[in-house]
Amino acid sequence: DDRAVVVLHTQDDPEMAGVATTLRAQGHPVIELAISDPMSIGAEFVRWEYAVALLGHLLGINPFDEPNVSEAKEATSRVLAGHVAPPVSVTDLDGVWPAYAGALSGASAPTDLETSFAPVVAAVRPGDYLTVLAYLPDSAEHFRPLRQALSRISSTSTLPTCLDLGPRYLHSTGQLHKGGPNTGVFVVITARERRDIDIPGAAFSLGALYRAQAEGDIVTLAAHDRRIMRLDLPDSSPRTIGRVAAALLAAFR
């Protein structure tokens, strides 16, 4: 009862039309939009720009001003300069370093990867959503385990879940996370081993900037008393990500 489903399809797509019919029969609020001409996709961009603006107002967010995006940028600069530090990990789980921040600060050190998610599970309240902010390679192979785990969690618990790629999300849903209602529970995933590139004229590398963007966002989320967990992985291999995804699913199970 906390969401509506929009089904957008072409008029000659009976499969997606059937999805809308099935969801409607199950009692979900459904908005069905059928496109007759591929050129109508452009009109959908305009429609959803209006929708974002109106929904932003209803959620208490000004979509034309992103003060918390600027706040995260400033925090990134402070991390790079060494003026602020992200939360310290509480233990070492075979190379995976969990840390807790914001409203989850003070959580006990877990004994394994599954129990590291216990504070996250315990923090979820009715009407909340769970978001994984993944600073990982943008590929289907890397994201598939997390996507499957979150889909399973959502379908078995009715908890809305999101998977956002960092730092891309910072200029979109990033404003909702920090400036919207305090209904998000966040798991930030970073990896220590990553191909690095020097930035000409800068005192830091691209890899250092990449990590600082994640850590700057953690600092900003914590300043707004959000519920945050960070997992710093030894590498970004699909196998390591799969371990994390399996532990996340097991914790919510």
Side-chain angles (χ1 to χ4, degrees):
D1 61 358
D2 62 349
R3 72 202 76 177
V5 181
V6 179
V7 181
L8 175 65
H9 62 83
T10 56
Q11 289 185 332
D12 58 353
D13 188 347
E15 183 178 354
M16 288 305 297
V19 170
T21 301
T22 300
L23 290 170
R24 198 177 288 113
Q26 292 174 348
H28 298 292
V30 176
I31 301 169
E32 185 177 4
L33 305 172
I35 295 176
S36 58
D37 182 345
M39 297 299 290
S40 298
I41 294 174
E44 289 302 318
F45 277 89
V46 177
R47 182 205 300 273
W48 289 102
E49 285 178 339
Y50 273 97
V52 167
L54 293 169
L55 289 169
H57 171 72
L58 293 172
L59 288 167
I61 305 166
N62 182 350
F64 305 104
D65 183 18
E66 298 179 317
N68 305 110
V69 171
S70 299
E71 186 182 1
K73 285 182 181 179
E74 293 167 3
T76 296
S77 297
R78 294 199 304 273
V79 169
L80 286 167
H83 297 154
V84 66
V88 178
S89 61
V90 294
T91 190
D92 184 338
L93 301 173
D94 195 20
V96 178
W97 300 347
Y100 305 93
L104 295 188
S105 295
S108 301
T111 56
D112 55 43
L113 201 51
E114 181 181 334
T115 57
S116 72
F117 288 104
V120 173
V121 177
V124 172
R125 302 183 295 254
D128 284 344
Y129 65 94
L130 171 68
T131 295
V132 172
L133 306 175
Y135 287 76
L136 299 169
D138 184 11
S139 76
E141 183 183 17
H142 288 83
F143 273 75
R144 187 178 297 111
L146 291 169
R147 198 175 300 283
Q148 290 175 341
L150 290 172
S151 177
R152 186 73 180 274
I153 290 168
S154 186
S155 64
T156 57
S157 69
T158 73
L159 173 68
T161 61
C162 308
L163 177 58
D164 282 345
L165 173 66
R168 186 174 67 189
Y169 72 86
L170 290 171
H171 279 275
S172 53
T173 50
Q175 180 58 37
L176 167 67
H177 298 160
K178 295 177 283 286
N182 192 355
T183 54
V185 182
F186 304 97
V187 176
V188 183
I189 300 178
T190 55
R192 300 187 294 280
E193 183 182 294
R194 189 177 175 89
R195 180 170 171 261
D196 207 355
I197 300 172
D198 290 332
I199 302 176
F204 46 83
S205 66
L206 192 62
L209 173 61
Y210 188 74
R211 281 183 69 83
Q213 286 179 299
E215 292 171 349
D217 200 43
I218 292 170
V219 169
T220 308
L221 286 165
H224 292 273
D225 202 35
R226 291 341 193 204
R227 291 157 283 175
I228 315 145
M229 172 189 183
R230 179 196 187 172
L231 285 179
D232 198 19
L233 312 183
D235 58 71
S236 58
S237 68
R239 181 178 180 180
T240 299
I241 298 168
R243 281 179 55 211
V244 170
L248 174 64
L249 180 58
F252 272 92
R253 192 179 282 136

